[in-house]
Amino acid sequence: MLVLITYDVNTETVSGKKRLRKVAKQCENYGRRVQNSVFECILDQAQSVVLKQSLIDIIDENVDSLRFYYLGNKYQTKVEHVGVEHGIAVDQPLIL
Amino acid sequence: MLVLITYDVNTETVSGKKRLRKVAKQCENYGRRVQNSVFECILDQAQSVVLKQSLIDIIDENVDSLRFYYLGNKYQTKVEHVGVEHGIAVDQPLIL
């Protein structure tokens, strides 16, 4: 299923900037960055639970936030993009 | 239906900062900000088309991007939030 993850991390402090890097890095392990703070990940249920918990462990829930949108398996028709592209589709073959 | 709108606007220039403010303001007219660059809007088909075109007219497609996620009407179970809250649910009554 497609899981969309969006986050706001408060980067006013050094530790905030560190959390932001950690969140992005962890999301990169599971999916593709489509915008600065937006990742699309193709995950099964177990992976989704693991990723979610790992992100919760990184953020400071008093100042940061995470949102998870579960778009199921038929997500192709549910997404539209306009403007500059940030990456390639997570489930598309990479042609080199 | 719930339409999730995420955007990246390049704010390296004065005109970029202006575009960012315009995009946010236009989204605010239709929905609720849930994170810095993430809005949730309850729209019908016609409203969705109008909002999308108005945002396309604001951005610079060479450096900015918009993404639209169509989550249908049964979206309550498809969204999870962790951490600090940014607003109230779009379809919840406002108790004053």
Side-chain angles (χ1 to χ4, degrees):
Chain A
M1 63 176 168
L2 178 65
V3 182
L4 177 73
I5 302 170
T6 66
Y7 53 82
D8 260 358
V9 175
N10 185 318
T11 55
E12 286 171 359
T13 62
V14 173
S15 58
K17 289 186 179 72
K18 200 171 171 181
R19 290 197 305 279
L20 180 69
R21 282 196 301 272
K22 279 189 180 180
V23 167
K25 199 169 167 53
Q26 181 64 346
C27 288
E28 278 169 1
N29 290 333
Y30 285 85
R32 130 184 124 111
R33 181 173 238 159
V34 292
Q35 287 178 336
N36 271 333
S37 301
V38 181
F39 278 82
E40 288 182 1
C41 308
I42 303 289
L43 305 171
D44 62 28
Q45 191 62 35
Q47 290 171 317
S48 173
V49 170
V50 169
L51 176 56
K52 184 179 157 191
Q53 190 55 54
S54 70
L55 294 175
I56 291 172
D57 291 344
I58 294 169
I59 68 160
D60 177 344
E61 292 186 35
N62 295 310
V63 290
D64 306 331
S65 72
L66 298 166
R67 287 182 81 83
F68 300 88
Y69 296 90
Y70 301 94
L71 282 97
N73 291 315
K74 294 179 184 166
Y75 50 83
Q76 283 87 350
T77 58
K78 298 175 186 165
V79 187
E80 277 182 12
H81 182 91
V82 177
V84 66
E85 290 276 354
H86 218 295
I88 56 156
V90 271
D91 58 352
Q92 292 298 302
L94 185 61
I95 299 166
L96 298 170
Chain B
M1 63 176 169
L2 179 65
V3 182
L4 178 73
I5 301 169
T6 67
Y7 53 82
D8 260 359
V9 175
N10 185 318
T11 56
E12 286 172 359
T13 61
V14 173
S15 58
K17 289 186 178 74
K18 200 171 170 182
R19 290 196 305 278
L20 180 69
R21 281 196 301 274
K22 279 189 181 179
V23 167
K25 197 168 168 55
Q26 181 64 344
C27 287
E28 278 168 2
N29 290 334
Y30 285 85
R32 132 184 121 111
R33 182 174 236 157
V34 293
Q35 285 178 336
N36 271 334
S37 301
V38 182
F39 278 80
E40 289 181 0
C41 308
I42 303 289
L43 305 173
D44 61 30
Q45 191 63 33
Q47 290 171 318
S48 175
V49 170
V50 170
L51 176 55
K52 184 179 158 192
Q53 190 55 53
S54 70
L55 294 175
I56 291 172
D57 291 343
I58 295 169
I59 68 161
D60 176 345
E61 292 186 36
N62 295 310
V63 291
D64 307 330
S65 72
L66 300 165
R67 287 182 81 83
F68 301 88
Y69 296 90
Y70 301 94
L71 283 97
N73 291 314
K74 293 179 184 165
Y75 52 82
Q76 284 88 350
T77 58
K78 297 177 187 165
V79 187
E80 277 182 13
H81 182 92
V82 177
V84 66
E85 290 277 354
H86 219 295
I88 57 157
V90 269
D91 57 352
Q92 293 297 302
L94 184 62
I95 300 166
L96 299 170

mmCIF file of all heavy atoms in Angstrom, chain B residues 49-76:
data_model
loop_
_atom_site.group_PDB
_atom_site.id
_atom_site.type_symbol
_atom_site.label_atom_id
_atom_site.label_comp_id
_atom_site.label_asym_id
_atom_site.label_seq_id
_atom_site.Cartn_x
_atom_site.Cartn_y
_atom_site.Cartn_z
ATOM 1 N N VAL B 49 -11.449 21.469 -8.931
ATOM 2 C CA VAL B 49 -10.912 21.943 -10.211
ATOM 3 C C VAL B 49 -10.530 23.420 -10.117
ATOM 4 O O VAL B 49 -9.455 23.835 -10.560
ATOM 5 C CB VAL B 49 -11.947 21.716 -11.347
ATOM 6 C CG1 VAL B 49 -11.511 22.411 -12.633
ATOM 7 C CG2 VAL B 49 -12.144 20.224 -11.587
ATOM 8 N N VAL B 50 -11.413 24.202 -9.505
ATOM 9 C CA VAL B 50 -11.169 25.648 -9.383
ATOM 10 C C VAL B 50 -9.926 25.925 -8.530
ATOM 11 O O VAL B 50 -9.047 26.712 -8.907
ATOM 12 C CB VAL B 50 -12.404 26.364 -8.772
ATOM 13 C CG1 VAL B 50 -12.072 27.813 -8.419
ATOM 14 C CG2 VAL B 50 -13.576 26.310 -9.745
ATOM 15 N N LEU B 51 -9.855 25.252 -7.376
ATOM 16 C CA LEU B 51 -8.715 25.479 -6.479
ATOM 17 C C LEU B 51 -7.410 25.069 -7.157
ATOM 18 O O LEU B 51 -6.417 25.802 -7.114
ATOM 19 C CB LEU B 51 -8.909 24.703 -5.170
ATOM 20 C CG LEU B 51 -7.744 24.767 -4.185
ATOM 21 C CD1 LEU B 51 -7.368 26.212 -3.848
ATOM 22 C CD2 LEU B 51 -8.081 24.005 -2.894
ATOM 23 N N LYS B 52 -7.431 23.897 -7.774
ATOM 24 C CA LYS B 52 -6.226 23.404 -8.452
ATOM 25 C C LYS B 52 -5.734 24.410 -9.494
ATOM 26 O O LYS B 52 -4.555 24.753 -9.525
ATOM 27 C CB LYS B 52 -6.546 22.064 -9.113
ATOM 28 C CG LYS B 52 -5.353 21.398 -9.770
ATOM 29 C CD LYS B 52 -5.781 20.072 -10.373
ATOM 30 C CE LYS B 52 -4.836 19.646 -11.462
ATOM 31 N NZ LYS B 52 -5.361 18.526 -12.251
ATOM 32 N N GLN B 53 -6.643 24.893 -10.325
ATOM 33 C CA GLN B 53 -6.228 25.832 -11.379
ATOM 34 C C GLN B 53 -5.699 27.133 -10.780
ATOM 35 O O GLN B 53 -4.715 27.697 -11.270
ATOM 36 C CB GLN B 53 -7.402 26.104 -12.336
ATOM 37 C CG GLN B 53 -6.977 26.858 -13.579
ATOM 38 C CD GLN B 53 -5.824 26.160 -14.334
ATOM 39 O OE1 GLN B 53 -5.920 24.989 -14.659
ATOM 40 N NE2 GLN B 53 -4.713 26.860 -14.575
ATOM 41 N N SER B 54 -6.338 27.594 -9.706
ATOM 42 C CA SER B 54 -5.893 28.854 -9.105
ATOM 43 C C SER B 54 -4.485 28.708 -8.520
ATOM 44 O O SER B 54 -3.682 29.643 -8.577
ATOM 45 C CB SER B 54 -6.883 29.323 -8.039
ATOM 46 O OG SER B 54 -6.835 28.483 -6.909
ATOM 47 N N LEU B 55 -4.175 27.531 -7.984
ATOM 48 C CA LEU B 55 -2.830 27.309 -7.437
ATOM 49 C C LEU B 55 -1.804 27.184 -8.564
ATOM 50 O O LEU B 55 -0.684 27.703 -8.459
ATOM 51 C CB LEU B 55 -2.822 26.045 -6.555
ATOM 52 C CG LEU B 55 -3.660 26.149 -5.280
ATOM 53 C CD1 LEU B 55 -3.685 24.809 -4.550
ATOM 54 C CD2 LEU B 55 -3.130 27.231 -4.347
ATOM 55 N N ILE B 56 -2.197 26.504 -9.634
ATOM 56 C CA ILE B 56 -1.301 26.381 -10.792
ATOM 57 C C ILE B 56 -0.968 27.771 -11.339
ATOM 58 O O ILE B 56 0.164 28.045 -11.740
ATOM 59 C CB ILE B 56 -1.942 25.493 -11.881
ATOM 60 C CG1 ILE B 56 -2.000 24.039 -11.401
ATOM 61 C CG2 ILE B 56 -1.168 25.591 -13.205
ATOM 62 C CD1 ILE B 56 -2.783 23.105 -12.307
ATOM 63 N N ASP B 57 -1.959 28.653 -11.308
ATOM 64 C CA ASP B 57 -1.741 30.014 -11.813
ATOM 65 C C ASP B 57 -0.773 30.810 -10.936
ATOM 66 O O ASP B 57 -0.135 31.748 -11.401
ATOM 67 C CB ASP B 57 -3.077 30.771 -11.897
ATOM 68 C CG ASP B 57 -3.985 30.210 -12.986
ATOM 69 O OD1 ASP B 57 -3.481 29.472 -13.865
ATOM 70 O OD2 ASP B 57 -5.190 30.486 -12.951
ATOM 71 N N ILE B 58 -0.687 30.435 -9.661
ATOM 72 C CA ILE B 58 0.191 31.178 -8.740
ATOM 73 C C ILE B 58 1.645 30.704 -8.836
ATOM 74 O O ILE B 58 2.566 31.514 -8.851
ATOM 75 C CB ILE B 58 -0.301 31.018 -7.272
ATOM 76 C CG1 ILE B 58 -1.669 31.668 -7.077
ATOM 77 C CG2 ILE B 58 0.720 31.611 -6.298
ATOM 78 C CD1 ILE B 58 -2.334 31.326 -5.745
ATOM 79 N N ILE B 59 1.839 29.393 -8.895
ATOM 80 C CA ILE B 59 3.218 28.886 -8.772
ATOM 81 C C ILE B 59 4.038 29.086 -10.051
ATOM 82 O O ILE B 59 3.503 29.350 -11.116
ATOM 83 C CB ILE B 59 3.244 27.385 -8.383
ATOM 84 C CG1 ILE B 59 2.701 26.499 -9.520
ATOM 85 C CG2 ILE B 59 2.528 27.137 -7.079
ATOM 86 C CD1 ILE B 59 3.115 25.037 -9.389
ATOM 87 N N ASP B 60 5.353 28.936 -9.891
ATOM 88 C CA ASP B 60 6.272 28.882 -11.022
ATOM 89 C C ASP B 60 6.615 27.404 -11.209
ATOM 90 O O ASP B 60 7.349 26.824 -10.401
ATOM 91 C CB ASP B 60 7.528 29.705 -10.705
ATOM 92 C CG ASP B 60 8.569 29.619 -11.815
ATOM 93 O OD1 ASP B 60 8.471 28.719 -12.682
ATOM 94 O OD2 ASP B 60 9.497 30.442 -11.802
ATOM 95 N N GLU B 61 6.076 26.804 -12.260
ATOM 96 C CA GLU B 61 6.205 25.352 -12.430
ATOM 97 C C GLU B 61 7.647 24.892 -12.658
ATOM 98 O O GLU B 61 7.934 23.705 -12.582
ATOM 99 C CB GLU B 61 5.306 24.863 -13.576
ATOM 100 C CG GLU B 61 3.829 24.994 -13.237
ATOM 101 C CD GLU B 61 2.914 24.383 -14.301
ATOM 102 O OE1 GLU B 61 3.286 23.360 -14.889
ATOM 103 O OE2 GLU B 61 1.829 24.941 -14.526
ATOM 104 N N ASN B 62 8.539 25.827 -12.941
ATOM 105 C CA ASN B 62 9.945 25.463 -13.138
ATOM 106 C C ASN B 62 10.692 25.236 -11.819
ATOM 107 O O ASN B 62 11.714 24.551 -11.790
ATOM 108 C CB ASN B 62 10.670 26.547 -13.930
ATOM 109 C CG ASN B 62 10.129 26.664 -15.334
ATOM 110 O OD1 ASN B 62 10.009 25.664 -16.037
ATOM 111 N ND2 ASN B 62 9.766 27.865 -15.730
ATOM 112 N N VAL B 63 10.192 25.834 -10.743
ATOM 113 C CA VAL B 63 10.915 25.715 -9.466
ATOM 114 C C VAL B 63 10.018 25.288 -8.310
ATOM 115 O O VAL B 63 10.515 24.873 -7.255
ATOM 116 C CB VAL B 63 11.630 27.043 -9.095
ATOM 117 C CG1 VAL B 63 12.784 27.321 -10.049
ATOM 118 C CG2 VAL B 63 10.665 28.219 -9.080
ATOM 119 N N ASP B 64 8.711 25.389 -8.466
ATOM 120 C CA ASP B 64 7.775 25.032 -7.389
ATOM 121 C C ASP B 64 7.036 23.746 -7.768
ATOM 122 O O ASP B 64 7.049 23.324 -8.921
ATOM 123 C CB ASP B 64 6.722 26.128 -7.187
ATOM 124 C CG ASP B 64 7.322 27.506 -6.977
ATOM 125 O OD1 ASP B 64 8.444 27.584 -6.439
ATOM 126 O OD2 ASP B 64 6.657 28.494 -7.343
ATOM 127 N N SER B 65 6.371 23.159 -6.785
ATOM 128 C CA SER B 65 5.521 22.006 -7.108
ATOM 129 C C SER B 65 4.308 21.939 -6.191
ATOM 130 O O SER B 65 4.322 22.439 -5.064
ATOM 131 C CB SER B 65 6.311 20.692 -7.030
ATOM 132 O OG SER B 65 6.593 20.343 -5.694
ATOM 133 N N LEU B 66 3.283 21.327 -6.734
ATOM 134 C CA LEU B 66 2.040 21.055 -5.999
ATOM 135 C C LEU B 66 1.761 19.574 -6.120
ATOM 136 O O LEU B 66 1.988 18.984 -7.179
ATOM 137 C CB LEU B 66 0.858 21.782 -6.641
ATOM 138 C CG LEU B 66 0.884 23.290 -6.740
ATOM 139 C CD1 LEU B 66 -0.189 23.754 -7.718
ATOM 140 C CD2 LEU B 66 0.637 23.898 -5.357
ATOM 141 N N ARG B 67 1.232 18.975 -5.062
ATOM 142 C CA ARG B 67 0.729 17.609 -5.170
ATOM 143 C C ARG B 67 -0.673 17.567 -4.598
ATOM 144 O O ARG B 67 -0.969 18.195 -3.575
ATOM 145 C CB ARG B 67 1.647 16.605 -4.455
ATOM 146 C CG ARG B 67 2.929 16.384 -5.238
ATOM 147 C CD ARG B 67 3.819 15.377 -4.586
ATOM 148 N NE ARG B 67 3.466 13.996 -4.849
ATOM 149 C CZ ARG B 67 3.817 13.316 -5.934
ATOM 150 N NH1 ARG B 67 4.526 13.896 -6.879
ATOM 151 N NH2 ARG B 67 3.464 12.058 -6.076
ATOM 152 N N PHE B 68 -1.526 16.833 -5.278
ATOM 153 C CA PHE B 68 -2.923 16.677 -4.871
ATOM 154 C C PHE B 68 -3.182 15.202 -4.618
ATOM 155 O O PHE B 68 -2.920 14.365 -5.484
ATOM 156 C CB PHE B 68 -3.864 17.172 -5.973
ATOM 157 C CG PHE B 68 -3.657 18.611 -6.329
ATOM 158 C CD1 PHE B 68 -2.724 18.977 -7.286
ATOM 159 C CD2 PHE B 68 -4.377 19.612 -5.678
ATOM 160 C CE1 PHE B 68 -2.517 20.321 -7.609
ATOM 161 C CE2 PHE B 68 -4.176 20.957 -5.997
ATOM 162 C CZ PHE B 68 -3.244 21.305 -6.964
ATOM 163 N N TYR B 69 -3.690 14.898 -3.447
ATOM 164 C CA TYR B 69 -4.041 13.517 -3.099
ATOM 165 C C TYR B 69 -5.536 13.476 -2.837
ATOM 166 O O TYR B 69 -6.045 14.203 -1.969
ATOM 167 C CB TYR B 69 -3.287 13.062 -1.843
ATOM 168 C CG TYR B 69 -1.787 13.022 -2.025
ATOM 169 C CD1 TYR B 69 -1.004 14.126 -1.752
ATOM 170 C CD2 TYR B 69 -1.155 11.864 -2.472
ATOM 171 C CE1 TYR B 69 0.377 14.094 -1.923
ATOM 172 C CE2 TYR B 69 0.222 11.814 -2.637
ATOM 173 C CZ TYR B 69 0.978 12.937 -2.362
ATOM 174 O OH TYR B 69 2.351 12.896 -2.532
ATOM 175 N N TYR B 70 -6.211 12.619 -3.595
ATOM 176 C CA TYR B 70 -7.667 12.536 -3.491
ATOM 177 C C TYR B 70 -8.029 11.362 -2.596
ATOM 178 O O TYR B 70 -7.872 10.207 -2.983
ATOM 179 C CB TYR B 70 -8.266 12.410 -4.892
ATOM 180 C CG TYR B 70 -7.891 13.585 -5.754
ATOM 181 C CD1 TYR B 70 -6.775 13.539 -6.597
ATOM 182 C CD2 TYR B 70 -8.606 14.779 -5.690
ATOM 183 C CE1 TYR B 70 -6.395 14.643 -7.357
ATOM 184 C CE2 TYR B 70 -8.239 15.888 -6.450
ATOM 185 C CZ TYR B 70 -7.128 15.803 -7.278
ATOM 186 O OH TYR B 70 -6.752 16.903 -8.023
ATOM 187 N N LEU B 71 -8.499 11.660 -1.395
ATOM 188 C CA LEU B 71 -8.734 10.607 -0.396
ATOM 189 C C LEU B 71 -10.200 10.208 -0.268
ATOM 190 O O LEU B 71 -10.545 9.457 0.642
ATOM 191 C CB LEU B 71 -8.167 11.029 0.967
ATOM 192 C CG LEU B 71 -6.641 10.887 1.061
ATOM 193 C CD1 LEU B 71 -5.943 12.190 0.784
ATOM 194 C CD2 LEU B 71 -6.222 10.341 2.409
ATOM 195 N N GLY B 72 -11.046 10.699 -1.145
ATOM 196 C CA GLY B 72 -12.448 10.273 -1.152
ATOM 197 C C GLY B 72 -13.222 10.769 0.056
ATOM 198 O O GLY B 72 -12.815 11.722 0.741
ATOM 199 N N ASN B 73 -14.348 10.120 0.310
ATOM 200 C CA ASN B 73 -15.206 10.551 1.409
ATOM 201 C C ASN B 73 -14.971 9.777 2.705
ATOM 202 O O ASN B 73 -15.289 10.254 3.779
ATOM 203 C CB ASN B 73 -16.677 10.423 0.991
ATOM 204 C CG ASN B 73 -17.021 11.445 -0.087
ATOM 205 O OD1 ASN B 73 -16.663 12.617 0.017
ATOM 206 N ND2 ASN B 73 -17.693 10.999 -1.133
ATOM 207 N N LYS B 74 -14.418 8.570 2.566
ATOM 208 C CA LYS B 74 -14.173 7.761 3.776
ATOM 209 C C LYS B 74 -12.715 7.915 4.204
ATOM 210 O O LYS B 74 -11.942 6.962 4.241
ATOM 211 C CB LYS B 74 -14.498 6.298 3.476
ATOM 212 C CG LYS B 74 -15.979 6.065 3.229
ATOM 213 C CD LYS B 74 -16.260 4.611 2.903
ATOM 214 C CE LYS B 74 -17.726 4.408 2.570
ATOM 215 N NZ LYS B 74 -17.971 3.104 1.922
ATOM 216 N N TYR B 75 -12.358 9.123 4.521
ATOM 217 C CA TYR B 75 -10.946 9.424 4.761
ATOM 218 C C TYR B 75 -10.559 9.332 6.242
ATOM 219 O O TYR B 75 -9.386 9.292 6.570
ATOM 220 C CB TYR B 75 -10.631 10.820 4.228
ATOM 221 C CG TYR B 75 -11.584 11.879 4.731
ATOM 222 C CD1 TYR B 75 -11.416 12.470 5.975
ATOM 223 C CD2 TYR B 75 -12.673 12.266 3.965
ATOM 224 C CE1 TYR B 75 -12.305 13.412 6.443
ATOM 225 C CE2 TYR B 75 -13.566 13.214 4.422
ATOM 226 C CZ TYR B 75 -13.377 13.782 5.661
ATOM 227 O OH TYR B 75 -14.271 14.709 6.121
ATOM 228 N N GLN B 76 -11.585 9.283 7.111
ATOM 229 C CA GLN B 76 -11.269 9.347 8.552
ATOM 230 C C GLN B 76 -10.291 8.263 8.995
ATOM 231 O O GLN B 76 -9.432 8.500 9.825
ATOM 232 C CB GLN B 76 -12.532 9.256 9.410
ATOM 233 C CG GLN B 76 -13.350 10.535 9.463
ATOM 234 C CD GLN B 76 -14.356 10.633 8.335
ATOM 235 O OE1 GLN B 76 -14.313 9.828 7.396
ATOM 236 N NE2 GLN B 76 -15.249 11.605 8.396
#
